[in-house]
Amino acid sequence: NDTRHGSTDNLADHAEREREETPLLVLNESGEDAPGDAAIAQRKQKGYYAYLVGWALCGLLNNTPYVLFLAAAERLLTGKSGVVLMCDVAPSLAIKVVGGAILYSTPYSPRIATTALLASAALAAVAYAQNPTQALTGVAVASLASGLGEFTFLALAGRCFAENAGGAKAEFAAWGAGTGAAGIAGTLIWIVATQVMKLTARATMLVAMPLPLLQYVAFAHLVRPVALGGNKADADDGDDADDDDSPLSWHVRMDTARKIFVPFIGPLLLVYFAEYSINQAMYLPLGLVAHHGDEARACSMYPRLQLTYHIGVLISRSSLFFIVCPYLWPMSLLQAANFAMGMMQIIKLQSSGSFVVLATFVFAVWEGILGGGVYVNAMNALGLSLSHSRKLREFALSIVGLGDTTGILLAGLLSSWMEHWLLSSHMGAATS
């Protein structure tokens, strides 16, 4: 294959030899991995289900602040939810871009502790913000924490894939279920606190502030003992802890990134671009259409649509426990069709009434199912396709999130003006 890896890079040479027998990006013939005796025995161990609960809790607590800020987008900056989305995504993208280079050998434990502290500090910063700029700074810190957490836990799932003889599918499913539940948790916190308990935005953020700190507790007591073989010193639980201490060369990393772009990063980018463009730019106009231009009812419908969408995300992100769907590009194209349908409803059809309200909520569920389905199945398929090399798998899984994060960032750039355009030009509700 490649001759540029060089004789001094032992890992690259080893990977080259193995690729002659196992292609880098070809799935097993069955499309999924068959658990070996070690994996089956492990599933029978007393602590295995607690281990999976730990993964789900880490996913839940990693994404809850992120979702909370998105649910609060209209309150933080009315009519400019796309700006909130960009601040909630851009730092996450930055950490995923540079993480593969500067955090590759950093131990897992310090990374996860930093994630928890940053997320908690972000909630406090937003709670005490005196102006929109300070609030958006807090949102950006939460984005940094969320990106670091996802980067770290996906790489850790890749590490577990080899050690558990095919059990990484369970880690992906549990992580996906937790991140899917975070959507519901974050949105419910906002709805219950602000609409039922009548709390201010500041009080809501303060109530949620301790939650991220529990992520490290779940990792330390439920995940780390199994994933990293007990309470090892932090120096022993980095990405590079392997039989071969050689780090992946720059050429190997770039070659891997190139090969995973079209089959994995591309579908994630498209599905999340369409998905978050709908969420941040169309939900409020769709609510106005459905309610005959009633702004109060449309604003009340906005967080409920977010909640309904996250129910769909939870369904699909938990589905990996039961079913594998490897058709990433078709699901992404269906999401693009959803975007087109939403625009048609707002600009051309402008149908309203009770049936349209119900159809809008069904639309939100379907949108969430597609986005979550692409996410978990992309991670699972990528892990299976790199089953021959743990280090390549850890690296690839840590950077594949560039696809969804880039898609969300592009959606933020689009929705920052598209929502205003839809409201002012087509709904007769200009925003400031």
Side-chain angles (χ1 to χ4, degrees):
N1 294 325
D2 262 331
T3 58
R4 59 187 175 183
H5 302 326
S7 59
T8 59
D9 194 325
N10 295 330
L11 178 61
D13 292 338
H14 179 65
E16 283 293 325
R17 290 193 299 270
E18 287 187 321
R19 276 202 294 269
E20 294 178 0
E21 299 178 359
T22 308
L24 178 60
L25 292 170
V26 177
L27 290 172
N28 297 340
E29 291 182 0
S30 63
E32 55 185 271
D33 54 317
D37 293 339
I40 295 172
Q42 186 186 47
R43 289 188 174 95
K44 296 178 181 179
Q45 292 178 0
K46 182 178 179 180
Y48 184 74
Y49 292 107
Y51 167 66
L52 293 184
V53 169
W55 272 95
L57 285 173
C58 287
L60 172 70
L61 297 168
N62 189 75
N63 283 23
T64 295
Y66 169 85
V67 176
L68 183 60
F69 289 133
L70 290 184
E74 288 298 323
R75 183 75 62 87
L76 288 171
L77 203 57
T78 303
K80 299 290 185 179
S81 58
V83 177
V84 178
L85 179 61
M86 284 190 291
C87 290
D88 213 2
V89 172
S92 178
L93 176 63
I95 198 67
K96 291 176 182 178
V97 169
V98 302
I102 66 175
L103 295 175
Y104 193 71
S105 60
T106 303
Y108 288 103
S109 295
R111 287 196 238 169
I112 296 170
T114 301
T115 295
L117 291 172
L118 284 175
S120 184
L123 289 166
V126 172
Y128 289 105
Q130 300 298 314
N131 54 60
T133 300
Q134 293 178 4
L136 292 175
T137 300
V139 173
V141 174
S143 171
L144 187 67
S146 178
L148 178 60
E150 184 181 29
F151 171 88
T152 300
F153 277 103
L154 288 178
L156 181 58
R159 177 191 183 98
C160 299
F161 182 93
E163 296 180 358
N164 293 339
K169 185 158 59 176
E171 280 88 1
F172 289 134
W175 170 262
T179 54
I184 296 177
T187 308
L188 276 179
I189 288 172
W190 182 256
I191 292 176
V192 172
T194 60
Q195 298 187 18
V196 178
M197 301 177 65
K198 306 299 182 182
L199 296 179
T200 64
R202 175 179 178 178
T204 302
M205 297 298 173
L206 290 175
V207 167
M209 192 175 70
L211 293 178
L213 300 177
L214 298 177
Q215 182 187 50
Y216 186 80
V217 176
F219 165 74
H221 293 280
L222 298 176
V223 175
R224 184 169 61 187
V226 176
L228 299 173
N231 295 321
K232 293 184 178 183
D234 284 347
D236 294 329
D237 69 4
D239 290 342
D240 288 333
D242 201 351
D243 294 337
D244 184 352
D245 291 332
S246 304
L248 291 176
S249 72
W250 178 258
H251 290 301
V252 170
R253 296 184 196 185
M254 291 300 99
D255 189 51
T256 301
R258 177 181 61 81
K259 289 181 178 179
I260 70 173
F261 183 83
V262 172
F264 302 108
I265 295 178
L268 284 167
L269 193 156
L270 176 59
V271 76
Y272 276 90
F273 170 73
E275 183 174 331
Y276 276 78
S277 295
I278 295 171
N279 290 0
Q280 300 304 310
M282 294 189 192
Y283 274 4
L284 192 56
L286 284 170
L288 284 167
V289 169
H291 290 296
H292 302 278
D294 188 325
E295 294 184 15
R297 295 176 70 185
C299 288
S300 177
M301 186 179 178
Y302 179 86
R304 290 183 174 88
L305 278 174
Q306 293 283 357
L307 175 60
T308 306
Y309 153 76
H310 285 298
I311 291 174
V313 173
L314 175 60
I315 292 171
S316 57
R317 288 201 176 196
S318 305
S319 65
L320 204 58
F321 282 115
F322 312 105
I323 187 172
V324 174
C325 181
Y327 307 110
L328 304 181
W329 276 110
M331 288 191 286
S332 298
L333 293 173
L334 284 173
Q335 195 74 289
N338 284 344
F339 177 87
M341 290 173 58
M343 290 293 290
M344 183 178 296
Q345 161 67 356
I346 296 169
I347 298 175
K348 296 292 184 182
L349 300 179
Q350 297 193 0
S351 304
S352 58
S354 300
F355 175 78
V356 175
V357 172
L358 176 62
T360 304
F361 281 105
V362 173
F363 173 80
V365 173
W366 172 237
E367 175 204 353
I369 287 174
L370 289 174
V374 173
Y375 179 88
V376 293
N377 283 283
M379 304 307 165
N380 183 63
L382 178 57
L384 294 178
S385 69
L386 291 171
S387 59
H388 63 286
S389 174
R390 196 204 78 188
K391 285 191 174 183
L392 283 175
R393 187 169 60 251
E394 283 185 90
F395 171 71
L397 286 166
S398 69
I399 67 168
V400 71
L402 287 171
D404 57 272
T405 307
T406 302
I408 296 171
L409 180 61
L410 293 175
L413 292 171
L414 175 66
S415 59
S416 61
W417 68 265
M418 190 172 78
E419 183 186 39
H420 177 85
W421 174 69
L422 289 172
L423 291 172
S424 61
S425 300
H426 299 278
M427 303 309 305
T431 58
S432 57

